[in-house]
Amino acid sequence: MVDAVVSVFLDNLLKALSEESRILVEFRDQFEKLQSELLLMQGFLKDADRLKRKQQVLRTIMVNLRELIFEAEDILADCQLQSRDNDPFSAGWFMCIYPKKLPFQYQTGKRLKEINEKIIEIKKNIGPYLGVSILNQPDQNDLFPRWSSPVYDHTQVVGLEGDKRKIKDWVFNADDGILGIGVVGMGGLGKTTIAHEVFNDREVEVHFERRMWVSVSQTFTEEQIMRSMLRNLGDASSGDDRGELLRKINQYLIGKRYLIVMDDVWSEDVAWWQRILAGLPKGNGSTVIITSRNEKVVRKMGVKEDKIHWPKCLSGSDSWLLFRKIAFAASGGECTFPELENIGKEIVVKCKGLPLAIKVVGGMMLCKPPRYHEWKRISDHFRNELAENDDSESGLRATLQLSYDELPSYLKSCFLCFSIFPEDCVIGKDQLVRWWIGEGFVPLRGGRSTTEAGEDCFSGLTNRCLIEVVDKTYNGTIYNCTIHDMVRDLVLKVAEDDAFYNENGSSCRHLGIQNDLGPKHLIANQKLRALLSTNKTAEVNKIASSMAKKVHESRYLRVLDVSRSIFEASLSVTLNQIGSLQHLTYLSLSNTHPLIQLPPSLEKISHLQILDVSYCQNLKMIPSYIVTFKKLKVLDVSHCGSLECLPKGLGRLSNLEVLLGFRPARSSQLEGCRIGELRNLTKLRTLGLQITRADEIGDNEVNALINLQELQYLTVSCFDSHGSDLITKVDKLFPPQQLHELCLKFYPGKMSPMWLNPISLPFLKFLSISSGDIAEMNQRFWGDVNTVWKIEALMLESLSNLGVEWLRVQRVMPSLRVVNVSWCPELGSFPVDDFGFRGGVWKKEEHRS
């Protein structure tokens, strides 16, 4: 990933030279010389990164280059830090002529000169191994991604209908015992996909009263398995012993028909399963589905031979269909380039019918320009890689490696971030995107905002099918993901080779926080750049004070995420030296305990870009120094129940793009931030508002949002609201016209706000209304003959009084393609099953005539 390291450094250097050239004047010549050399080398670094796998000398050269770039990046950060220390004098390097600054000047200048000399030497040495000109230009595809938003529908499945039907027949014909079903085959064949298709089937859902999905993986404990089963049953038990956990499971399941999926079981030692099975209630036609690569495993777990299903590779026609659906997703899965069809079919044949290989290669081609010579280059590269890998599994690994090699440089760094998460971990998109922004992995081009560019990177990986979707919102936005275990094997290998991360936790620049992480890991990684919480769903980290205090010694730490953690002592005490982490750009204390106030020394990190303190229920205040964080782009204070308001002066944070959990100060809270200050946040893209009282919106503040021209995503929640006057105030709080998505929660009015109409919100594409007292829509909501909504996805949830007619909704929303309705008993005319209870989804494409 040396090309990725260089790409990130050049982006940071370009920004520093353009924004702070006055400050870097002392070393400007050396930095510009370094920039020039790296720009010349950038064009062939991707090839060098690929070829180093086969040439040890080249591998050594690339390792040396990588370490030099990292050192140069640290020097650049130190120079920027020095500039911030000297800023009050407003005289550039005036302070550097003082004796106490001379050692820094001398050592920095000397080391930069040495780095430049070594890089020039590397440039001379590397050419013969590549047989290319040093003057190659960077791949333009790296600079301008073909797609910046999700294109492929990950819910589409091809060629597995027969597999699904076979297993469903077994399930529905189960006797009174516990039926065991095995799905066995090599990695990437679609075992988990088949199990998912069965598990989420509507008929299966109705057939079973309880369903549990457990990802077993290679490293697990019996307690973890049982806690996962209980979480599926709505019980978050964490402290009980094995016996008590099993008793709880038995109580939930007794007398009920249940389905359990044990996905991806590896170990042939199945004593743990025999103990769990013995404690499960029998009868009622319950079923256990086990997926594994090893037939012995499922046999030992009690599956009879006639109930083992061996998925087959996809047929040639199904392989081509799956490839088309992905590679040509932008044209509805149809190949509209005749010159690409034959070469596309050649590529598909090389995948040997393996769904994972076809998806990954299809995703790679989706992101390539539809030009014959580009596709031919990929096909030739693919053939060369497969020449050394004859069997299917080795061929699949070669396919995944090719997909990584073809990633744009900036996406390689983003992709390697998955290496620090444990197997089968569900990973939040926000955590990933914020990490990428904090560490500078996100390229800023074309005037896009930082958060938008970060989301583009996420889309780049999902479009390439390197990320598996776990959870999506009603409108299709992905917010939780994971990666296939074979993709994870690749990520771990590359991450270890490039000192990004390794599983033993030594000599790497990125670490995941788990309960076995101790001070020794931090001591062994003095070059640490990122430390993040990587615990699985519903698990918490328990962090000792000795470990927490060692974090302060990681001088070059950019990213610190200790979310979902319990500390031995108060965080304001434990992290009292956090101000020493002067390079920190992303700090997450989300869902940590006990957090009552932010550490005072945090004030020293005035260049922080992202601060997340969401779900800190005991946090009572945000200190006033927060308004001095001029570079802050994301502030998340959502779900902080004890927090009454934010400090006055928040409107000075002119770079803020995301503000979540904003609760305006009341008229009596003189030091709090009023809603009127939001007028100054002109770069705001996402806003989450919590409004509970009428005096939180002054008569002269009802226009606070109307001119926020960048605002695209707005959530307004009136949870725990007081007084009827609030309805009048919210009714006048018009959002900006260009709003893209709106979420209205707990609105106390009987009628929807008058601004919720297609004239006031002509560009609205997604609308969600949940909870509250709305019984009818304002007349303006229905538009007129010449005005209709452009809404594509609609969600209505927990609206017990709302009664509207489906035909009327269809008329005013002709672009509607998805409707999600639940707990809305008066919406009987909607074509949605179970609309008054758990609900369902209507999709336009499923109802075409």
Side-chain angles (χ1 to χ4, degrees), residues 48-94:
D49 227 22
R50 175 173 56 84
L51 294 172
K52 75 180 183 183
R53 296 197 298 272
K54 301 174 184 177
Q55 299 184 31
Q56 183 58 43
V57 175
L58 185 57
R59 174 181 168 83
T60 302
I61 291 173
M62 296 297 278
V63 167
N64 291 337
L65 176 59
R66 180 193 71 211
E67 295 303 313
L68 287 170
I69 301 305
F70 275 130
E71 186 178 355
E73 193 169 47
D74 289 339
I75 290 173
L76 176 63
D78 282 337
C79 288
Q80 292 174 298
L81 186 59
Q82 290 284 331
S83 75
R84 284 191 291 269
D85 291 343
N86 299 331
D87 193 54
F89 286 83
S90 299
W93 282 91
F94 174 78

Side-chain angles (χ1 to χ4, degrees), residues 451-482:
T451 50
E452 188 177 14
E455 288 161 8
D456 288 351
C457 290
F458 186 82
S459 295
L461 294 175
T462 56
N463 285 335
R464 288 170 172 83
C465 299
L466 292 170
I467 293 176
E468 296 193 347
V469 177
V470 175
D471 294 303
K472 297 195 293 186
T473 64
Y474 72 99
N475 61 21
T477 302
I478 302 166
Y479 63 91
N480 279 330
C481 65
T482 189

Side-chain angles (χ1 to χ4, degrees), residues 135-309:
L135 297 178
N136 281 356
Q137 294 300 310
D139 185 353
Q140 293 303 305
N141 292 324
D142 275 14
L143 304 180
F144 304 104
R146 188 159 174 242
W147 305 111
S148 60
S149 58
V151 179
Y152 169 60
D153 180 2
H154 290 258
T155 63
Q156 296 183 81
V157 174
V158 171
L160 301 181
E161 296 82 4
D163 305 74
K164 178 180 174 181
R165 183 71 261 167
K166 178 181 177 181
I167 294 175
K168 283 177 63 177
D169 287 344
W170 285 347
V171 166
F172 294 148
N173 292 310
D175 56 25
D176 286 339
I178 299 179
L179 172 66
I181 297 174
V183 184
V184 180
M186 65 170 287
L189 196 56
K191 302 182 298 296
T192 298
T193 303
I194 292 169
H196 261 301
E197 285 292 294
V198 173
F199 187 83
N200 293 319
D201 181 84
R202 186 68 176 178
E203 292 178 335
V204 171
E205 185 178 348
V206 171
H207 184 71
F208 292 103
E209 296 165 274
R210 295 284 186 270
R211 292 177 305 140
M212 291 154 280
W213 182 285
V214 181
S215 297
V216 180
S217 72
Q218 297 183 60
T219 56
F220 66 91
T221 66
E222 198 169 327
E223 289 86 349
Q224 286 174 331
I225 296 293
M226 288 190 283
R227 288 192 187 104
S228 180
M229 293 173 69
L230 282 168
R231 282 196 296 273
N232 278 264
L233 297 169
D235 188 322
S237 295
S238 58
D240 301 312
D241 61 24
R242 286 192 308 198
E244 182 59 29
L245 291 170
L246 192 53
R247 278 190 293 274
K248 283 187 175 183
I249 292 171
N250 183 281
Q251 289 168 5
Y252 279 113
L253 300 181
I254 196 163
K256 293 181 171 61
R257 183 189 292 136
Y258 56 85
L259 170 65
I260 302 173
V261 174
M262 290 287 170
D263 184 44
D264 199 23
V265 185
W266 284 71
S267 174
E268 292 185 30
D269 179 3
V270 297
W272 61 274
W273 171 245
Q274 291 164 355
R275 286 190 291 270
I276 292 175
L277 185 62
L280 296 176
K282 308 301 186 288
N284 297 319
S286 297
T287 301
V288 176
I289 299 175
I290 300 156
T291 73
S292 178
R293 299 187 193 184
N294 188 341
E295 182 186 5
K296 286 183 180 178
V297 171
V298 299
R299 295 289 292 272
K300 284 188 173 185
M301 292 179 71
V303 179
K304 295 178 181 178
E305 186 174 358
D306 65 338
K307 291 298 185 287
I308 296 177
H309 176 60

Side-chain angles (χ1 to χ4, degrees), residues 710-729:
E710 299 299 319
L711 192 65
Q712 295 184 40
Y713 310 97
L714 174 64
T715 297
V716 179
S717 173
C718 299
F719 178 72
D720 196 27
S721 59
H722 302 272
S724 58
D725 290 347
L726 175 67
I727 299 170
T728 305
K729 287 292 180 69

Side-chain angles (χ1 to χ4, degrees), residues 448-453 455 656-659 681-687 710-714 739:
R448 301 175 77 80
S449 69
T450 306
T451 50
E452 188 177 14
E455 288 161 8
L656 208 59
E657 297 176 11
V658 176
L659 175 57
L681 304 181
T682 55
K683 294 184 180 180
L684 209 58
R685 289 183 67 236
T686 303
L687 174 63
E710 299 299 319
L711 192 65
Q712 295 184 40
Y713 310 97
L714 174 64
L739 200 67

Side-chain angles (χ1 to χ4, degrees), residues 351-632:
C351 295
K352 299 181 179 179
L354 285 173
L356 178 60
I358 296 167
K359 286 172 65 177
V360 168
V361 171
M364 176 172 60
M365 303 317 293
L366 169 66
C367 298
K368 295 292 182 183
R371 294 196 293 264
Y372 176 82
H373 291 294
E374 180 69 4
W375 279 50
K376 183 70 165 61
R377 180 185 68 81
I378 298 291
S379 181
D380 292 344
H381 188 174
F382 200 4
R383 184 183 62 248
N384 295 336
E385 287 288 333
L386 293 178
E388 302 172 14
N389 301 278
D390 293 333
D391 63 283
S392 295
E393 195 154 326
S394 298
L396 177 55
R397 291 195 184 96
T399 303
L400 297 174
Q401 182 67 61
L402 172 64
S403 183
Y404 173 78
D405 290 341
E406 290 295 325
L407 283 176
S409 296
Y410 63 91
L411 279 186
K412 287 183 177 177
S413 297
C414 298
F415 184 51
L416 290 190
C417 290
F418 286 88
S419 62
I420 77 167
F421 294 93
E423 189 178 8
D424 295 320
C425 185
V426 175
I427 307 161
K429 181 185 78 170
D430 283 346
Q431 184 184 31
L432 286 168
V433 170
R434 291 172 183 181
W435 174 6
W436 300 341
I437 293 171
E439 205 166 341
F441 292 161
V442 176
L444 300 179
R445 300 185 179 95
R448 301 175 77 80
S449 69
T450 306
T451 50
E452 188 177 14
E455 288 161 8
D456 288 351
C457 290
F458 186 82
S459 295
L461 294 175
T462 56
N463 285 335
R464 288 170 172 83
C465 299
L466 292 170
I467 293 176
E468 296 193 347
V469 177
V470 175
D471 294 303
K472 297 195 293 186
T473 64
Y474 72 99
N475 61 21
T477 302
I478 302 166
Y479 63 91
N480 279 330
C481 65
T482 189
I483 55 173
H484 192 281
D485 55 358
M486 293 201 71
V487 175
R488 183 171 181 268
D489 289 343
L490 168 70
V491 172
L492 286 172
K493 180 180 180 299
V494 177
E496 183 171 354
D497 288 346
D498 288 315
F500 188 94
Y501 167 77
N502 63 59
E503 290 188 285
N504 63 27
S506 63
S507 301
C508 55
R509 288 179 169 81
H510 307 85
L511 282 176
I513 299 175
Q514 297 176 51
N515 286 328
D516 59 349
L517 186 74
K520 63 181 181 180
H521 293 99
L522 299 181
I523 295 170
N525 294 282
Q526 292 297 310
K527 298 177 181 179
L528 203 62
R529 301 290 185 91
L531 181 65
L532 295 99
S533 178
T534 57
N535 44 352
K536 292 188 176 182
T537 305
E539 293 181 0
V540 295
N541 300 311
K542 295 179 181 178
I543 300 179
S545 296
S546 57
M547 202 284 284
K549 290 177 180 176
K550 276 291 177 185
V551 172
H552 305 140
E553 297 177 15
S554 300
R555 181 183 169 198
Y556 290 106
L557 200 66
R558 269 88 161 156
V559 171
L560 178 60
D561 178 346
V562 292
S563 57
R564 306 184 303 281
S565 299
I566 297 175
F567 290 76
E568 285 183 343
S570 168
L571 262 78
S572 59
V573 174
T574 305
L575 299 179
N576 66 335
Q577 296 299 316
I578 197 170
S580 63
L581 300 177
Q582 289 288 292
H583 298 298
L584 201 64
T585 54
Y586 167 32
L587 174 64
S588 176
L589 302 173
S590 174
N591 204 0
T592 50
H593 181 79
L595 179 64
I596 298 172
Q597 64 179 20
L598 294 177
S601 67
L602 183 63
E603 182 176 7
K604 298 177 182 177
I605 311 178
S606 58
H607 57 289
L608 202 66
Q609 293 185 41
I610 301 170
L611 177 62
D612 182 358
V613 292
S614 59
Y615 294 93
C616 292
Q617 295 294 341
N618 297 317
L619 183 65
K620 298 183 184 302
M621 62 163 292
I622 299 293
S624 58
Y625 62 68
I626 194 83
V627 304
T628 65
F629 290 4
K630 300 298 185 185
K631 294 189 176 182
L632 202 66

Side-chain angles (χ1 to χ4, degrees), residues 770-782:
S770 59
S771 303
D773 299 327
I774 295 179
E776 60 180 305
M777 309 309 287
N778 191 297
Q779 184 57 40
R780 297 185 183 187
F781 179 88
W782 304 108

